[in-house]
Amino acid sequence: MRDQYVTVAGEGAHETEVSRSRFVCLLAPAATEEEARSFVRRARGRHPAATHHCYAYVIGADAGIQKCDDDGEPGGTAGAPMLQMLNRRGVRQAVAVVARYFGGTKLGAGGLIRAYGGAVGEALDTLGTVTRQRLLLATVTVGHQQAGRLENGLRSTGRNVRHVTYGSEVTIEIGIPASGLGAFRDWLADTTAGSARLELGGDTYSRPAAPRSPGGGTGTR
């Protein structure tokens, strides 16, 4: 797995206008192809009167699945530049749909490429992106006397505490940045005088709360 990847901050839409044609770009995170296709269907439902509903998506932190569709626009003038923009920005696990309302003026192949790619680029700028970091899932087990102090220490140092279970001992489920495992082992040993047990599980990605760039909701130009 990659140590981190960039994705869209959340669902949103941003509208641009080129030669009286409206281009409404709708963005959303998508972890699977089915999620991406579902979002495309919803986008079409939100804009039933649009002339075209072109889309592109990149699935997998390593961009293993990439697909796009021109939806009736000349081949390679809509979906492909949308996909190129996602890749140029390094965006993964995301889907973009551009609903075009034809304004009466033909843009030509070059104009369409710039309009569709630009619609995605402006939407990313307006709605923002986030970086998701790979986390190793782990369980720390300690006695009751140390549990409160350890949990407070984990939270105060920004560790990803996921769940705490009280039994004969206390188990604390956490997420550790993949690159910080060695430092965490040292910190845990110092904090508990070597009495805590650390067991590693699988891995996942963090879900940061704040976008990398300001803005959100629906923008119009």
Side-chain angles (χ1 to χ4, degrees):
M1 294 178 68
R2 295 172 60 93
D3 283 343
Q4 64 181 32
Y5 68 88
V6 174
T7 191
V8 298
E11 288 194 18
H14 178 72
E15 181 176 323
T16 56
E17 184 175 324
V18 180
S19 299
R20 296 197 299 272
S21 280
R22 295 168 53 210
F23 294 83
V24 183
C25 180
L26 302 96
L27 295 175
T32 65
E33 279 200 271
E34 181 50 43
E35 286 184 17
R37 292 176 183 141
S38 176
F39 183 74
V40 173
R41 291 192 293 269
R42 286 190 283 127
R44 284 175 173 154
R46 293 174 190 171
H47 294 272
T51 314
H52 303 278
H53 301 87
C54 307
Y55 68 82
Y57 57 78
V58 180
I59 306 300
D62 59 355
I65 300 175
Q66 303 187 28
K67 292 189 179 177
C68 61
D69 187 85
D70 296 313
D71 193 34
E73 294 282 30
T77 63
M82 292 170 62
L83 183 59
Q84 288 169 3
M85 182 59 69
L86 292 176
N87 280 317
R88 186 184 305 168
R89 299 293 186 88
V91 175
R92 304 289 181 256
Q93 300 286 70
V95 53
V97 181
V98 174
R100 181 192 181 190
Y101 292 84
F102 182 57
T105 301
K106 293 185 177 181
L107 301 180
L112 288 172
I113 290 171
R114 289 188 294 273
Y116 277 100
V120 175
E122 288 202 23
L124 290 170
D125 289 339
T126 300
L127 302 173
T129 57
V130 293
T131 299
R132 295 189 63 186
Q133 186 178 29
R134 180 187 173 198
L135 296 177
L136 302 176
L137 299 177
T139 300
V140 178
T141 303
V142 293
H144 285 265
Q145 290 183 337
Q146 292 181 302
R149 179 169 174 269
L150 176 59
E151 183 180 352
N152 288 337
L154 289 168
R155 295 187 186 278
S156 66
T157 54
R159 262 79 180 199
N160 185 276
V161 177
R162 305 172 70 88
H163 191 66
V164 181
T165 302
Y166 290 87
S168 58
E169 295 181 293
V170 180
T171 57
I172 304 175
E173 297 176 14
I174 60 173
I176 308 168
S179 60
L181 179 58
F184 178 75
R185 287 185 186 275
D186 292 341
W187 178 87
L188 184 63
D190 289 342
T191 302
T192 65
S195 63
R197 300 195 305 276
L198 175 66
E199 296 181 14
L200 298 179
D203 47 19
T204 187
Y205 284 99
S206 63
R207 293 183 177 274
R212 274 177 42 179
S213 57
T218 301
T220 303
R221 185 190 73 176

